[in-house]
Every structure is written in C-alpha cells, then in structure tokens.
Amino acid sequence: MPKPTNAFSSWSRGLAQRAVHAGWSWVQRTGSVTAAHPGRFRFGALGTGTRLAFPLGTVFGEPWIKIGAHCVVGEQVTLTAGLMPDLDLGPDPILRIGDGVVLGRGSHVIADTTVTIGSDCYFGPYVYLTSTNHSYDDPHQPIGKQWPRMEPVEVGPGCWVGTGAVILPGARIGRNVVVAAGAVVRGTVPDHAVVAGAPARVVRRWTQDEGWQPPLRTPAPIPIPAGVTPEQLLRLSELDEETVSRLAEADLGPDT
C-alpha cells in the first residue's frame, strides 16, 4: 500500500532543498577565483574577466602559470606547473593560456615543462593535456619511480578539443584544429585540420587551393543577420513549420 503523504514533511524538505541549493550557489560564487579575488592563489598573470570555477581541481606552481583575459575554467580543472609544489622553476612561465580560452569541467593541464594554449581555444570536459610521460626503460624498477620524459606541448589559437581527448608530450597542434572526442594526439598536426582516433590521424583538412578535403557533408551554418533583435528571434521561434517554409520560399523585395 502507498504510504500516506505528510504535507508538513514534504514542505519542510522542499524548503531545506531550496536552502541547500541557494547555499551551494553562494559557495560557488564566493569560492571562484578571479583577478579581483584570487584568494590564496598567486598566478603569474590572471587576466580581466577570467574566472576559475569552484570547486577547483589541483592547482600548484601558479607563479609560473599565466592565464589571459576572459577565460572560463570549469569546475574540478587541474592546472599544475612543475613536477610538484614549492619548486623554484626559474624566471620564465611554464604554462601559458591565451585570451578567451575555455577549459571544460574535469580537464587536466599538466605542465612539467613548457605548455602553451593559444587564444580562443575551447576544451570540452575531461580533456587531459600533459607534457610528461612515464618511462619504463628499466624493467626492474616500478614505472612510477623511473624518471619521466618531458617534451613541450603547443596548442595553436582557435582550436576545438573534444570531450575526453588526450594530448601527449611533444604534440604541436596548429591553428583552428578540431580534435575529436576521445582522440589521442601526439606529434605535429597542421593548421585547419580535423583529427580523430587513437592515435589521432588527420581525417579532413582545409587548404587555400583545395578547400576542405574530403568535402564537408553539410552546408555551413548561416549566421544571424546583423541588427536582428532577441525579440524578433523569439517571434520567429513561435512560427509553425508551414509558415517558415512559405517565408523561406518567398521572393521578398527590399521594401517588404
């Protein structure tokens, strides 16, 4: 038999739930890191409009981390410079992140040696980028105790890196590159390429002479025309499919 509903219990539970959600929202806002409110962190640079969401992942070596303006760093993102905390890494930055970069929730950027992420790069959730690989040369020693191999990593401006991608030491990714979800990237990737797979390989590329090869299967999205207001877009969204089709087929003149 169904249990009787206790109206007071249901009301008090709903009230407590709203209080918890409101409290957590306050904690997230207060705990986020910005240039104006860096908390305990002393980054080499933290640009205007940049925000590191709370809760953060592991963050250390921040004096050797430079983050540009208007970046969004999601929850539980790890940013590290150096093999461990409290090392003196010298006068130059180790991890450089350009302007307008988005790092998705749960991503890791591990910079034991130089890592550069260009401006306007977007990383999906749980991307793993590292400049260090474990070595296993000595068969008699545990792999975790052997000295690692380190190589600089560079991601060019304007790249899109899909969910769960892995970027390995020594990777050199060009500008405006798409890295597919789950791809494992090593070596050099040319500009204007799409890479996928493990290990990643180029599956599509744009050149000045040939355009996209192989050709794109879908037409390019049409941008919203300049001057269109949110109210006009809202009214358009309310039209039925038949009306939209008639409008698309109509030959509207400049005075319409």
Side-chain angles (χ1 to χ4, degrees), residues 70-169:
H70 306 292
C71 295
V72 177
V73 179
E75 295 178 13
Q76 300 290 354
V77 169
T78 287
L79 300 173
T80 66
L83 284 168
M84 60 188 69
D86 302 322
L87 296 178
D88 185 348
L89 303 177
D92 300 321
I94 302 297
L95 172 57
R96 298 178 179 88
I97 298 174
D99 297 335
V101 170
V102 175
L103 300 178
R105 177 188 177 94
S107 293
H108 288 60
V109 181
I110 310 298
D112 295 335
T113 189
T114 305
V115 170
T116 303
I117 299 174
S119 296
D120 301 313
C121 285
Y122 288 69
F123 285 31
Y126 307 107
V127 172
Y128 189 86
L129 184 159
T130 180
S131 64
T132 302
N133 251 343
H134 293 292
S135 60
Y136 50 89
D137 301 71
D138 187 343
H140 306 295
Q141 284 290 330
I143 292 170
K145 292 185 177 181
Q146 297 187 43
W147 192 254
R149 287 184 170 86
M150 304 179 192
E151 293 184 75
V153 174
E154 183 175 351
V155 180
C159 291
W160 179 279
V161 182
T163 300
V166 177
I167 300 174
L168 293 174

Side-chain angles (χ1 to χ4, degrees), residues 17 48 62-63 66 88 99 121 148 154 170 194 228 240 249 255:
Q17 185 181 56
T48 302
E62 60 270 22
K66 290 192 171 185
D88 185 348
D99 297 335
C121 285
E154 183 175 351
V194 180
V228 174
D240 57 52
E249 294 171 359
D255 299 328

Side-chain angles (χ1 to χ4, degrees), residues 209-234:
D209 294 334
E210 298 183 339
W212 284 106
Q213 295 297 327
L216 299 175
R217 293 192 292 261
T218 56
I222 300 174
I224 297 173
V228 174
T229 66
E231 291 77 15
Q232 290 172 321
L233 290 174
L234 184 60

Side-chain angles (χ1 to χ4, degrees), residues 43-68:
F43 287 96
L46 192 60
T48 302
T50 288
R51 181 178 294 270
L52 282 68
F54 181 87
L56 283 71
T58 301
V59 178
F60 63 75
E62 60 270 22
W64 292 273
I65 299 175
K66 290 192 171 185
I67 306 176

